[in-house]
Amino acid sequence: MTTPFQKASEWIDAENAQDPNIEIDQNTEYPKELLYSNRMYERLMQFEPEASEQIQIASKAQHICRWKVARESYPMDRVGYLRWREDLKKFHAKTTGEILEKAGYNQDFIDRVSFLIEKKLLKKDAETQLLEDIICLVFLEYYLDPFVHKHDDEKLKNIIKKTWDKMSDKGHQEALKINYSEENLNLIKASLGL
């Protein structure tokens, strides 16, 4: 018999598989948000194998259907960017909540997943912090390199420092185990004064 978790996971994957944006990983093309979702879930299970079902779902659904809320539909300034980010969190939480309800989860479970996706009480709620650690680790492992080619050193150092400040000590230890290029490792060390 299919469990609610299996149903929810399949439906989240099916939604993310509709992403028209393609990313290549090891010579294979993937819908961008499906690949991101898989990376988030895999990293979570490596980092915290005993993670609750709520945070497992929150990790998979972190960017669910992200392409449907275009950055360009908001003013291209700092205020527009922050509003876009806030609206995205609500959109991801609502989209996931609808899937969880259909999969048979109760409202308390759905509310907790929404709380995590919206990253409430960061630094105070252990699971919100865990999710933030996973987001940062996935960024550093898979998405830092493309950033390096787009921005100057000062902006990159600022991004790395902000990323580091969001993480727990355990997250920091894990981040230093990632297999970076020599250039990126030097950039991280310079950013953090290591």
Side-chain angles (χ1 to χ4, degrees):
M1 192 174 127
T2 313
T3 66
F5 180 78
Q6 287 168 324
K7 282 184 204 165
S9 294
E10 281 173 26
W11 291 336
I12 290 165
D13 286 349
E15 288 295 325
N16 280 329
Q18 293 174 47
D19 189 351
N21 304 294
I22 298 299
E23 197 169 311
I24 296 169
D25 182 50
Q26 297 178 358
N27 299 320
T28 304
E29 289 188 349
Y30 295 91
K32 184 180 174 189
E33 294 309 343
L34 180 61
L35 181 61
Y36 180 79
S37 174
N38 290 340
R39 286 170 168 169
M40 284 287 293
Y41 182 73
E42 285 164 16
R43 173 51 85 174
L44 173 68
M45 299 319 289
Q46 286 168 6
F47 187 69
E48 192 58 68
E50 302 299 311
S52 72
E53 214 164 287
Q54 289 95 328
I55 199 160
Q56 288 182 48
I57 288 169
S59 74
K60 285 187 73 62
Q62 185 62 30
H63 279 184
I64 190 167
C65 299
R66 192 179 188 93
W67 67 93
K68 292 183 179 179
V69 184
R71 170 66 184 100
E72 295 73 33
S73 61
Y74 291 77
M76 296 305 282
D77 56 16
R78 180 87 182 134
V79 174
Y81 173 75
L82 293 173
R83 204 168 83 229
W84 173 65
R85 291 290 302 263
E86 275 311 302
D87 288 353
L88 268 176
K89 287 181 200 172
K90 291 185 179 95
F91 169 73
H92 296 322
K94 182 177 182 291
T95 305
T96 307
E98 288 164 1
I99 287 172
L100 295 179
E101 191 176 354
K102 197 170 73 167
Y105 283 105
N106 66 33
Q107 196 57 50
D108 285 349
F109 187 99
I110 295 167
D111 289 347
R112 180 63 180 162
V113 172
S114 295
F115 176 97
L116 293 169
I117 288 174
E118 290 185 46
K119 295 200 279 187
K120 292 185 176 172
L121 295 181
L122 184 60
K123 298 281 184 192
K124 293 184 181 135
D125 183 277
E127 286 192 317
T128 301
Q129 184 58 55
L130 172 57
L131 186 62
E132 187 64 43
D133 279 344
I134 300 308
I135 291 165
C136 293
L137 289 167
V138 167
F139 168 72
L140 289 168
E141 184 166 6
Y142 297 105
Y143 301 99
L144 175 63
D145 205 51
F147 261 78
V148 167
H149 303 295
K150 280 193 237 169
H151 300 292
D152 63 64
D153 273 10
E154 279 319 300
K155 174 138 190 181
L156 287 166
K157 283 178 183 174
N158 192 30
I159 290 168
I160 290 165
K161 182 87 179 69
K162 280 183 178 169
T163 301
W164 204 257
D165 288 345
K166 291 180 195 170
M167 297 170 78
S168 68
D169 290 343
K170 185 181 174 192
H172 293 156
Q173 291 164 19
E174 195 68 19
L176 292 172
K177 294 178 194 168
I178 292 171
N179 188 19
Y180 302 102
S181 69
E182 191 177 345
E183 179 191 6
N184 289 355
L185 182 59
N186 289 337
L187 180 65
I188 289 167
K189 286 180 173 174
S191 307
L192 305 172
L194 296 177

